[in-house]
């Protein structure tokens, strides 16, 4: 148990280190193109997650037409809560403090521009690596003793993504390995302790909502819209809760 998360953390670290080692060799235009590619692939991953809203189990549990409303309600309630709690600014503040410590070890990571690059890299990589069906289902399967196949696949994808991210954003992507360890480790422990902690319908609602957050990351990477994805994170908690409320009142 936990081997899948260990492999995932290692691939993120290795990918980030390789990206940091070779990233400075590429001109700014090339790194911008890499970021655009990451944005497009993130939108692809978002689409694959969002289609979970059509999962038969979710429709059967809450009724046809309701899954989309669940995702909408989760985003609205979660975003309002996150905005009032200033989640994104708190995350940026946390990342800034971490970056300040990192800059003492990596002098090249100091300065305002480096701080912004660090925050964007850490937040974007963390959300990309920690939000999605493979994160949830893979970690739970690992905890339940059903194998690490899903996390092994995710590890390969995350390793290449970390390499591409780190070539542009630097050491912030390396620190996202800690986020992966905490999130996936917690889900693995929860799966081992509580069994299947969420029915398929609840996971589908959570995954679809997470897919839209990934879409927000994609828009940020493509410099189309600076979506406050951090403030929307509470939606991931609201989605399964709202699903359960609707099921209870049916």
């Amino acid at each position: 148990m936990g081997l899948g998360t260990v492999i995932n953390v290692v691939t993120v670290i290795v990918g980030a280190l390789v990206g940091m080692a070779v990233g400075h060799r590429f001109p700014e235009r090339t790194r911008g193109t890499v970021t655009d590619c990451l944005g497009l692939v993130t939108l692809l991953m978002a689409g694959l997650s969002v289609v979970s809203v059509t999962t038969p189990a979710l429709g059967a549990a809450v009724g046809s037409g309701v899954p989309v409303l669940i995702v909408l309600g989760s985003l609205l309630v979660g975003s309002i809560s996150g905005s009032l709690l200033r989640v994104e600014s708190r995350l940026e503040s946390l990342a800034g403090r971490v970056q300040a410590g990192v800059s003492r070890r990596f002098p090249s990571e100091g300065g305002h521009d480096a701080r912004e690059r660090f925050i964007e890299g850490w937040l974007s990589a963390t959300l990309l690596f920690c939000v999605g069906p493979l994160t949830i289902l893979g970690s739970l399967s690992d905890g339940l003793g059903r194998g690490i196949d899903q996390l092994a696949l995710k590890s390969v994808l995350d390793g290449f993504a970390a390499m591409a991210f780190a070539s542009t954003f630097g050491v912030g992507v390396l620190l996202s390995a800690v986020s992966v360890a905490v999130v996936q480790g917690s889900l693995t422990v929860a799966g081992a302790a509580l069994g299947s902690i969420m029915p398929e319908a609840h996971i589908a609602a959570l995954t679809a909502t997470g897919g839209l957050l990934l879409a927000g990351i994609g828009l940020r990477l493509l410099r189309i819209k600076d979506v406050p994805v951090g403030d929307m994170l509470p939606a991931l908690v609201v989605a399964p809760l709202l699903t359960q409320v609707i099921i209870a009142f049916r």
Side-chain angles (χ1 to χ4, degrees):
M1 184 184 71
L3 178 60
T5 295
V6 172
I7 294 174
N8 203 166
V9 170
V10 170
T11 57
V12 169
I13 292 175
V14 172
L17 289 175
V18 172
M20 291 168 60
V22 303
H24 66 281
R25 301 177 185 273
F26 297 110
E28 185 64 30
R29 178 180 177 183
T30 301
R31 282 183 285 176
T33 301
V34 170
T35 303
D36 290 340
C37 291
L38 287 172
L40 292 173
V41 173
T42 301
L43 289 178
L44 172 61
M45 295 178 66
L48 294 174
S49 296
V50 168
V51 295
S52 294
V53 77
T54 63
T55 300
L58 179 58
V62 300
S64 60
V66 178
V68 174
L69 296 179
I70 289 177
V71 174
L72 173 60
S74 299
L75 283 175
L76 288 175
V77 175
S79 298
I80 292 172
S81 302
S83 178
L84 292 175
L85 293 173
R86 298 172 55 243
V87 173
E88 177 143 325
S89 63
R90 293 177 189 274
L91 285 175
E92 290 182 352
S93 177
L94 172 62
R97 289 196 294 270
V98 174
Q99 190 268 345
V102 170
S103 64
R104 288 193 288 269
R105 290 179 174 272
F106 299 88
S108 62
E109 295 295 325
H112 177 74
D113 290 341
R115 180 180 185 277
E116 293 299 316
R117 188 173 68 252
F118 177 92
I119 292 173
E120 187 71 15
W122 176 71
L123 183 59
S124 297
T126 293
L127 292 174
L128 179 62
F129 298 154
C130 297
V131 176
L134 287 178
T135 299
I136 301 168
L137 299 177
S139 299
L140 290 178
S141 294
D142 189 6
L144 291 168
R146 297 176 180 173
I148 62 170
D149 294 352
Q150 295 179 57
L151 286 184
L153 172 61
K154 179 178 181 294
S155 298
V156 175
L157 297 174
D158 287 356
F160 282 105
M163 188 185 305
F165 264 103
S167 69
T168 300
F169 295 113
V171 73
V173 180
L174 179 63
L175 267 294
S176 70
V178 177
S179 305
V180 173
V182 172
V183 173
Q184 290 187 184
S186 299
L187 287 171
T188 300
V189 171
L194 304 176
S196 184
I197 60 175
M198 283 191 295
E200 185 179 353
H202 297 64
I203 293 177
L206 172 59
T207 302
T209 303
L212 290 181
L213 298 191
L214 284 175
I217 297 173
L219 294 177
R220 289 176 66 151
L221 291 174
L222 292 170
R223 299 175 294 280
I224 295 175
K225 172 70 174 178
D226 190 18
V227 180
V229 178
D231 285 342
M232 297 179 180
L233 285 175
L236 297 176
V237 178
V238 176
L241 294 178
L242 185 55
T243 302
Q244 181 58 41
V245 170
I246 293 176
I247 292 175
F249 281 93
R250 282 198 71 195

